[in-house]
Every structure is written in C-alpha cells, then in structure tokens.
Amino acid sequence: MRWKSIIAIASVFALILAIVIAFEINEKKKEPDPEYVFFYAENQSENYPTTLGANYFADLVYERTGGRIKILVKYDAQLGSESEVIKQMRYGGIAFARVSLSQLAEYIPDMNVLQMPYIYSSSEHMWRVLDGEIGDEFLEMAGDYGLTGLSWYDAGARNFYSTKPIYKVEDLQGMTIRVQESEVMADMVAALGAHPAKIVYSEVYSAFEQGLVDGAENNWPSYESMKHYKVATYYTVDEHTRVPEIQICSSVVWDMLSATDRATIMECAKESALYERRLWAEREKSSRLTAEQNGITVIELSSEEKQRFRDAMSGVYNKYCKGQMDILGKIMNY
C-alpha cells in the first residue's frame, strides 16, 4: 500500500509538472514575432549606468509596442568604437546608440559649445539647459549628420586630482596634467598655466608612479574604479567640464517607422534618461565614498575661485565657439 501511495503522489506531481510546462510553452507561443529587431550600440560594461539605461529603454519600447519592436543592446563596444558606430548609423547599419557628445561633436562641430569648460555652475544648471529648448535644438542638430537625437544621459563632472593640493589657479602653474585625446581639454589645461600631457587612459596610473604627471582629470567613478586615489591623493572639485551623453537613432531607421512608433520611442528614451541619471548619481556617490575611505583629501573650491578658473577660459571660448558666443552666453546664464 505504501508503494502505491508513493506512486500515486509521484503521478500527481508529474501531472502538475506537465501542466506547468505546457502552460509555459503556450505562453511563449502567444508572444508575437517582432516586426522590427534593432541593434543598440553601447561601449561601456554590462553594469555601467549607461548600459543599464539602454536596457531599460529597450524593455520599455518592447513593452509599449506590444513586442512589435525589439531592441538588442550590445555593450562592451561589441559593435565597434563610438566613432565607428556613428559612421555606421548614417547608413542604417546600426539603429540605436548611446555616445559621448564629444564624439558626436567631431562630426558636428557646432555641438562643441555644450562641452566648453566651466559653462555650467552645477548639475542642476546643465539639466535645465539640456531638458529645455536649448537641449532640444541640439538634439535636432544631430539630423545634420543623418541621426535623430532622442535624449540626454549623464556622465558626471570632471575634476582635477593630483599629487599636491590645488586650491587656486596659481597652484596649477607648471604642473603636468594628463588629459584625454581632446584639443579642447589640452587648451583648457594650458589656459590655466599647466602643461597638458595626452596619455592613454589605461596608462595614467603608471604615469603617476613614474612621476611623468603631477595630476589628471576625470569623474569620481573613473578615479575610483581605476584606483587612481592610490597615486593621486588630492581631489579638487572644480567641475571644469560636464560632457553629456546622447541617445541617438539612425535617421534611416527613424524614417521607416510610423509616427506612433516614433512618439513611443521618444517617450521611452526620455524616461530611460531619467532612470540613467538616478543610477549615475548613486554610482558617483558610492565612488566618492570609496575614495574618501582610502584617505584622500577632497578640496571644494569657493564660488569666487571657480569664477577665476572660468575667467581664464576666454581664449578657449573664442577659439572653439566663434559665431556661437550668443548661445554660449545664453547657456551660462540660463
């Protein structure tokens, strides 16, 4: 009798399992085949705020189009560098991407004005600009290169960090500061009286160890993740640049979509931007905390001293923003 009971119970479990499997198979069959399947290019790692924002965007689009539009996010630069991706998007080879404004400005120079040093007094100031009419005008400007601008993502503020403290402009005199491969950044450092050194990002740590540089500049997550706090223990919060990220769509793809789908995608892109910004703020806070726990000294510049840094940029503004001084002034006073 005992064996019969066990067999009966096992039969019931087997029946339940069969019903569950049949239900799952049936549910999967109910999922419609996508009308469109698009690739989204992202050069950061899987858990980086911009990648998480891209995945959130893709999920929203899939949900709100009833599964008709499926977007596959390819991170870690699987589809190429940002520059390569931008070129492919002009011809519809890649549908969506998140790229740095500095990369897009290489093809649309008028966008440089948004990344000029010291034009934003705070994060809130930058978002007032980018989420307003000025930001919308620059999103539309992407159309000059066969792209459609969707929304703005955060990449934080870049600050100086060094082997000796920087409290005022004079402290930078004669220092050698590592900068990224950017003429704007090199000219900014030179305008402050320091010597710019273009060194590959992965070699910055060893450059400090070898005494090749006295300082560098980057955001909190980069400073912390690369452990630069071990070789440059002074971090000066001057917030010299805030270079936003931009979510874009290939105009070739955009033009094939219905007005309804375009509106849905635009809505999802803006919602994902708010999500990414929250993630970035959390990452920035945790990175700063980690660096501080490792004994660094954080130097907060006064508003008066920040103005002195900004005043030193007049030559940089004239060089890169000819014909755009009105919009530059509007951004700074927005």
Side-chain angles (χ1 to χ4, degrees), residues 89-92 94-96 146-148 248-254:
M89 291 183 74
R90 291 192 72 190
Y91 308 103
I94 296 172
F96 297 94
L147 302 168
T148 298
I248 51 179
C249 176
S250 165
S251 292
V252 174
V253 172
W254 191 253

Side-chain angles (χ1 to χ4, degrees), residues 273-285:
L274 297 178
Y275 175 74
E276 186 273 344
R277 293 176 202 176
R278 288 196 298 272
L279 294 180
W280 182 270
E282 293 169 4
R283 174 68 180 272
E284 204 166 45
K285 185 182 295 184

